[in-house]
Amino acid sequence: MTKIYLVRHAEALGNVREFFQGRTDCEVSERGEKQLECLAEHFKNIPIEAIYSSPLKRTLLTAAAVNKYHNLPIQKDEGLIEINGGVWEGKPWADLPKLYPVEYGLWKNRMEDFYIEDGEKMTEVFDRMKSAMDRIAAENEGKTIAVVSHGCALRNFLCYAMGKPISALKDVGWSDNTAVSLVEYESGVPKIIFKNNNEHLPDELSTLSRSRWSEPDDVLYGEFGKITVRNLRSSDPEYFAREEIKQGWPDASPEKLETRLRDNTAGKAVSIAADYEGEPAGYVSVYPYCMWGALGGNGYPEIVDFNVLEKFRNKGVGTKLMDIAEQIAAEYSDTVYLGVGLHSGYGAAQRLYVKRGYVPDGSGVWYGGKVCPQYAECLNDDDLNLYLYKKLK
């Protein structure tokens, strides 16, 4: 087995000034330098045996940060370079819809068909990254290595590693600058262990959360009479926090759902909401490659933050949200898991999960993200959980 840590480069001037940088050889920004400090500490105790990088400045500086505590030769690989943006290179993102409406429409809605004058076809990027990564994995059989590349290039490879065709590229999501993914190659076949993890960065160093171009496109998952299931929107966190306070949850805040939105944009989560007669009624997120909880790190999806506002309960909203969440999870694995609180406030959720066929995973009670030792005392609050799982196929 070969383990490959995939790293997107640190924030560069193109990310700050929001122009298409592609193969334009931009310098790392001031925030990018701080991101690199965090990245170096993140990799300090990870046993890296080889490092590969795209030959551009921003990737080589990022590779050097990964290498800070390892002192390995950094191997430049042209196969890892970013998409050639042709006539888009150096042009502001804000101008592209006006200057190139057809091509910009492809970029936003049918990425697999994207091509720009003097540039590289998206299909060529997909094939190039697949070939380069398959070759690098074969050359490093049995090792743990790091590969530093770019947003679009890595998005193409992660689509391939998910076992999906290039037509699914739009669903993969963008990674934050210096975000890390882990892929394992077994018998020449890649498997994603986790994807686009930026937890080494404090919130103020995230690039993706500041980008004006990271708002998720509207996605409709289904209409069921009075209920509509769609993607989580930027307006939802404030709305749900306000409504949760009204129903007696004094500690409710938009922060939780804002995190889900960022993870959704980064491709780490699929976050959905339900409207009842046009009014937001509930929400849930699916983390396809979750690292938390009893089954974390095994390639299983986790369903998190499932909630329906009290005034919309017993109207079928929760059932439809869970139906769609399980359909999303089934695209990645035949098993899905979730954690549920043990106090009476979670009673309705507990009953729903049992009716849907979830069973305890056998790891016992968890508290604060860790298994609660036998006979230990603990507080029956929201951090006390039991993990359940369900076979989907």
Side-chain angles (χ1 to χ4, degrees):
M1 179 193 295
T2 304
K3 290 186 175 182
I4 304 178
Y5 287 93
L6 302 159
V7 186
R8 187 187 179 191
H9 63 80
E11 181 184 274
L13 295 185
N15 304 113
V16 177
R17 298 173 185 172
E18 296 195 334
F19 61 78
F20 192 98
Q21 59 186 346
R23 295 192 184 177
T24 304
D25 210 1
C26 296
E27 301 286 348
V28 167
S29 70
E30 184 177 344
R31 183 183 295 115
E33 291 175 355
K34 294 177 181 177
Q35 292 173 346
L36 292 180
E37 293 174 6
C38 297
L39 185 69
E41 294 305 310
H42 177 76
F43 273 96
K44 183 176 182 178
N45 296 314
I46 296 177
I48 302 297
E49 299 170 80
I51 301 178
Y52 291 76
S53 175
S54 155
L56 298 183
K57 292 176 185 175
R58 56 191 186 271
T59 42
L60 289 172
L61 284 171
T62 304
V66 173
N67 195 30
K68 181 176 180 179
Y69 297 103
H70 301 283
N71 299 312
L72 297 165
I74 295 174
Q75 303 179 59
K76 299 179 185 179
D77 195 310
E78 290 284 342
L80 302 174
I81 201 167
E82 182 59 298
I83 186 173
N84 182 348
V87 295
W88 276 22
E89 293 280 343
K91 288 188 170 60
W93 279 102
D95 292 346
L96 295 179
K98 296 173 284 186
L99 295 174
Y100 305 96
V102 174
E103 292 85 351
Y104 187 78
L106 292 176
W107 180 271
K108 292 291 290 182
N109 302 307
R110 297 206 322 271
M111 292 190 77
E112 67 273 18
D113 295 326
F114 175 78
Y115 173 68
I116 190 66
E117 182 184 351
D118 297 332
E120 191 175 14
K121 293 180 180 179
M122 193 64 73
T123 52
E124 293 173 335
V125 182
F126 187 91
D127 292 341
R128 169 168 60 79
M129 284 296 293
K130 174 184 180 297
S131 176
M133 292 301 301
D134 285 351
R135 169 177 49 79
I136 290 170
E139 291 172 354
N140 292 276
E141 177 64 35
K143 296 181 179 179
T144 297
I145 69 173
V147 168
V148 183
S149 186
H150 305 263
C152 183
L154 287 172
R155 190 171 182 173
N156 275 270
F157 173 69
L158 288 170
C159 185
Y160 161 62
M162 291 164 66
K164 294 191 175 186
I166 191 174
S167 58
L169 193 59
K170 185 173 179 289
D171 302 326
V172 177
W174 294 107
S175 64
D176 208 345
N177 290 107
T178 72
V180 180
S181 301
L182 176 60
V183 170
E184 292 181 351
Y185 265 84
E186 187 84 55
S187 301
V189 179
K191 176 185 176 182
I192 297 177
I193 304 304
F194 61 82
K195 182 162 72 82
N196 296 343
N197 187 337
N198 65 348
E199 293 177 4
H200 57 281
L201 296 178
D203 289 344
E204 65 269 17
L205 292 185
S206 169
T207 303
L208 201 62
S209 63
R210 288 170 166 75
S211 173
R212 291 175 294 170
W213 305 99
S214 62
E215 174 75 12
D217 298 320
D218 271 341
V219 177
L220 182 65
Y221 290 93
E223 294 181 285
F224 313 94
K226 297 179 180 180
I227 301 169
T228 301
V229 180
R230 51 155 175 94
N231 61 292
L232 195 69
R233 297 174 182 148
S234 59
S235 58
D236 286 327
E238 288 285 351
Y239 173 86
F240 279 113
R242 185 171 63 250
E243 293 300 309
E244 288 169 355
I245 289 172
K246 285 181 183 178
Q247 68 184 28
W249 295 9
D251 296 329
S253 78
E255 183 178 349
K256 175 181 66 177
L257 286 185
E258 287 170 351
T259 298
R260 304 302 173 218
L261 271 173
R262 289 194 295 270
D263 288 349
N264 185 85
T265 302
K268 292 196 294 184
V270 182
S271 299
I272 62 176
D275 296 333
Y276 187 84
E277 294 185 332
E279 187 174 354
Y283 53 85
V284 69
S285 292
V286 180
Y287 280 73
Y289 306 101
C290 198
M291 296 299 291
W292 311 319
L295 298 178
N298 291 301
Y300 297 128
E302 182 180 6
I303 294 174
V304 303
D305 283 345
F306 170 54
N307 184 42
V308 177
L309 295 175
E310 291 176 358
K311 62 183 177 180
F312 294 111
R313 292 179 183 175
N314 300 314
K315 297 179 183 294
V317 174
T319 296
K320 291 304 178 186
L321 278 171
M322 286 296 295
D323 286 346
I324 300 300
E326 289 178 0
Q327 289 174 24
I328 293 168
E331 295 180 12
Y332 300 91
S333 175
D334 63 355
T335 301
V336 64
Y337 74 107
L338 51 82
V340 62
L342 295 184
H343 64 67
S344 60
Y346 291 96
Q350 294 165 4
R351 291 193 298 271
L352 175 64
Y353 298 148
V354 170
K355 288 179 181 178
R356 297 186 69 89
Y358 287 83
V359 297
D361 76 314
S363 64
V365 175
W366 286 58
Y367 189 78
K370 297 179 181 178
V371 173
C372 188
Q374 191 172 2
Y375 304 122
E377 294 184 0
C378 55
L379 185 64
N380 190 11
D381 60 13
D382 289 345
D383 286 333
L384 187 64
N385 294 282
L386 186 68
Y387 277 95
L388 314 174
Y389 76 95
K390 177 182 178 178
K391 288 288 186 180
L392 298 172
K393 301 175 184 176

